[in-house]
Amino acid sequence: MAVYALTGFSLVSLLSFGYLSWDWMKPSLVADVATDPMEKSLPPTFSRPPHIVFILTDDQGYHDVGYHGSDIQTPTLDRLAAEGVKLENYYIQPICTPSRSQLITGRYQIHTGLQHSIIRPRQPNCLPLDRVTLPQKLQEAGYSTHMVGKWHLGFYKKECLPTRRGFDTFLGSLTGNVDYYTYDNCDGPGVCGYDLHEGEDVAWDQSGKYSTVLYAQRVSKILASHSPKEPIFIYVAFQAVHTPLQSPKEYIYRYRSMGNVARRKYAAMVTCMDEAVKNITWALKKYGYYDNSVIVFSTDNGGQTFSGGSNWPLRGRKGTYWEGGVRGIGFVHSPLIKRKRRTSWALVHITDWYPTLVGLARGNLSNVPGLDGYDVWPAISEGKESPRKEILHNIDPLYNHAKYGSLEDGFGIWNTAVQASIRVGEWKLLTGDPGYSDWIPPQTLTNFPGSWWNLERLTDGPKKSVWLFNITADPYERYDLSDQRPDVVKALLMRLVHYNRTAIPVRYPAENPRAHPDFNGGAWGPWASEDDAEDWEGIEEPLKSRNKKKKKCKICKLRSFFRKLNTRLMSNRI
């Protein structure tokens, strides 16, 4: 029997939606230009392939955008979404690497071997080299391709780097989590290194610049140096708003009344990112790209509620297969859209961007068999029915098996101890351990900084390993129907069996000591040659290397001290 406990919140009061006002002419704190000449748009034409800007944010919660009723100011995103098409039935993956791999390949993670966890800095692993990537297909179609921001798809070999996977230029980080100013990343005690790269070189000279500002400025420079007569694709993968919670002081001051410190810093980071998107949009207009452009905005996974994010009123958080982990913020803004200013409930998944964008670019998909994505442009632009009818959220055979799951509970066809999730039509099935399952209302509704959320908890009982929801009627996953509809459960289990037969083995190798940044001049970067084997398990670090690492670590600490000192000086001038 399910037991609910709700503390101090009205659901109706938290579901109000509205648009914040937006003044295009207001100077932006992150702008690298002085004025904002927002000329009137010309009638849209589709006589040539459009310029494509794909913006991906990191760990932004479903609730953390103005048009979802948030207390965080996102006037740019609100305006772009209002003038375009909001995707309110849009799905992503629950963590970083899976979402990025599916965007770049158009394939479910079971078809790339990346169905378990993320690619960690010291793992000899990366996006499979035999998969043709989205930017490679756009290059074939005559596009100039550029990436700015977070890669997180592996880098142990040079062949894995963004510039070897279809991007003409790259400025950003290779790992999944860096300091916003110093670009240092620690993968455990004493395993720290610098991670900001320009092309295939370490960008030491950019240290001290706040990444959100740096990345927006780089996009402006790319647009300024390119001709709008030639098609361009820019993938902007902001580090924001992933931890660590860091923001220029100007943005934190706006939220000084927020009682919770984490939420206050997080809100500041979101608003800073929003202004960076404003500057990118402004640059598209200034340099003559806008009238023939498509801007796609997407989050990469649900918000991390322990770090200031909110997915309310959805259940769960980042890292889970509840809606709070996999339903994303998404919209498309373009003068080329035929039916603008509307909300679309068409089913869309992050794998769909691959065929959709290649289609817009008039590229050739006939030589890329086995895609899991669909071309959803007619659904977005014209309001037609989505060709997508189901989504495999994932099957992860390595994740901790649920204690009470069994083959018997899965009608003899599926072991319900295995973590898996699928949506077919209006039905969603979860098996195994889906992850943290609470509903966490917006943190700032409490005045107690030390107790930053009141949560609504559902107790399913100790022996649960199967859940079924009518996700159309019950998007907040409050009413488990697995006992009432065993026929639907069995049908969806059969779909899991079908997908599992097509899965390739999981790629999750042991960490390699050769990846330590001290062996690479203090920076994260490729460490294996093209001929090196991919299985590094069992290789131990030489004693001399260990001693050398301890000695050099003192230098690293000293260098880190001066970087932080420089950062504080720089932040006072931003």
Side-chain angles (χ1 to χ4, degrees), residues 489-549:
V489 171
K490 187 173 183 179
L492 268 62
L493 289 177
M494 287 297 296
R495 292 304 297 161
L496 286 178
V497 171
H498 163 75
Y499 279 112
N500 198 45
R501 288 172 180 157
T502 69
I504 68 174
V506 179
R507 297 164 56 92
Y508 198 75
E511 294 181 343
N512 186 311
R514 289 169 58 187
H516 198 297
D518 282 355
F519 301 145
N520 191 38
W524 292 101
W527 74 87
S529 69
E530 185 177 357
D531 298 327
D532 280 339
E534 294 187 2
D535 185 7
W536 299 98
E537 189 172 0
I539 295 180
E540 295 186 2
E541 189 175 0
L543 183 59
K544 286 185 178 180
S545 296
R546 294 194 196 115
N547 294 336
K548 185 178 182 182
K549 179 173 65 177

Side-chain angles (χ1 to χ4, degrees), residues 183-197:
Y183 300 97
D184 287 328
N185 176 25
C186 293
D187 187 40
V191 188
C192 302
Y194 185 81
D195 183 18
L196 183 65
H197 294 74

Side-chain angles (χ1 to χ4, degrees), residues 129-386:
L129 299 177
D130 60 345
R131 297 302 186 190
V132 179
T133 67
L134 171 60
Q136 286 172 334
K137 294 304 297 180
L138 294 177
Q139 282 181 332
E140 290 178 10
Y143 275 68
S144 173
T145 59
H146 307 267
M147 180 179 173
V148 180
K150 172 178 168 178
W151 177 238
H152 207 185
L153 289 174
F155 58 88
Y156 80 105
K157 290 182 179 182
K158 285 189 175 181
E159 291 74 20
C160 301
L161 297 176
T163 48
R164 307 289 181 100
R165 304 311 307 271
F167 290 103
D168 296 326
T169 69
F170 169 66
L171 174 69
S173 60
L174 298 174
T175 62
N177 180 24
V178 301
D179 185 284
Y180 281 75
Y181 291 99
T182 67
Y183 300 97
D184 287 328
N185 176 25
C186 293
D187 187 40
V191 188
C192 302
Y194 185 81
D195 183 18
L196 183 65
H197 294 74
E198 174 90 51
E200 298 183 7
D201 299 321
V202 182
W204 296 104
D205 59 322
Q206 302 292 347
S207 178
K209 301 176 182 179
Y210 188 69
S211 72
T212 305
V213 178
L214 176 66
Y215 294 157
Q217 291 175 345
R218 173 51 60 95
V219 174
S220 295
K221 291 178 181 178
I222 291 171
L223 293 172
S225 62
H226 187 78
S227 170
K229 295 180 181 179
E230 301 297 330
I232 190 170
F233 170 60
I234 306 179
Y235 172 36
V236 189
F238 282 115
Q239 174 188 353
V241 288
H242 197 290
T243 53
L245 299 179
Q246 297 171 302
S247 171
K249 292 181 179 178
E250 297 91 329
Y251 296 92
I252 295 177
Y253 185 75
R254 301 185 191 187
Y255 297 100
R256 60 191 179 279
S257 62
M258 283 189 176
N260 177 258
V261 174
R263 180 68 173 172
R264 186 190 313 155
K265 292 180 179 179
Y266 176 91
M269 295 166 70
V270 173
T271 297
C272 183
M273 176 273 296
D274 180 85
E275 292 202 4
V277 174
K278 175 181 177 180
N279 289 333
I280 292 172
T281 308
W282 177 89
L284 287 169
K285 296 196 174 219
K286 176 183 178 183
Y287 299 115
Y289 297 86
Y290 178 79
D291 294 325
N292 189 42
S293 69
V294 175
I295 301 173
V296 181
F297 181 90
S298 172
T299 49
D300 73 334
N301 46 246
Q304 179 52 273
T305 53
F306 290 146
S307 300
S310 174
N311 303 305
W312 181 261
L314 303 179
R315 185 178 185 179
R317 65 185 186 204
K318 171 184 178 178
T320 76
Y321 289 96
W322 304 109
E323 292 291 284
V326 297
R327 184 172 288 209
I329 300 172
F331 65 79
V332 180
H333 177 96
S334 173
L336 306 175
I337 293 174
K338 293 182 178 180
R339 292 183 56 196
K340 306 180 184 66
R341 299 179 179 273
R342 65 184 181 87
T343 297
S344 171
W345 293 94
L347 187 61
V348 178
H349 184 249
I350 195 167
T351 54
D352 297 331
W353 297 121
Y354 187 115
T356 300
L357 299 183
V358 173
L360 285 175
R362 301 175 184 175
N364 180 18
L365 288 172
S366 62
N367 59 349
V368 190
L371 291 179
D372 294 307
Y374 294 85
D375 185 345
V376 293
W377 184 251
I380 293 170
S381 178
E382 303 172 44
K384 294 184 177 180
E385 184 178 355
S386 173

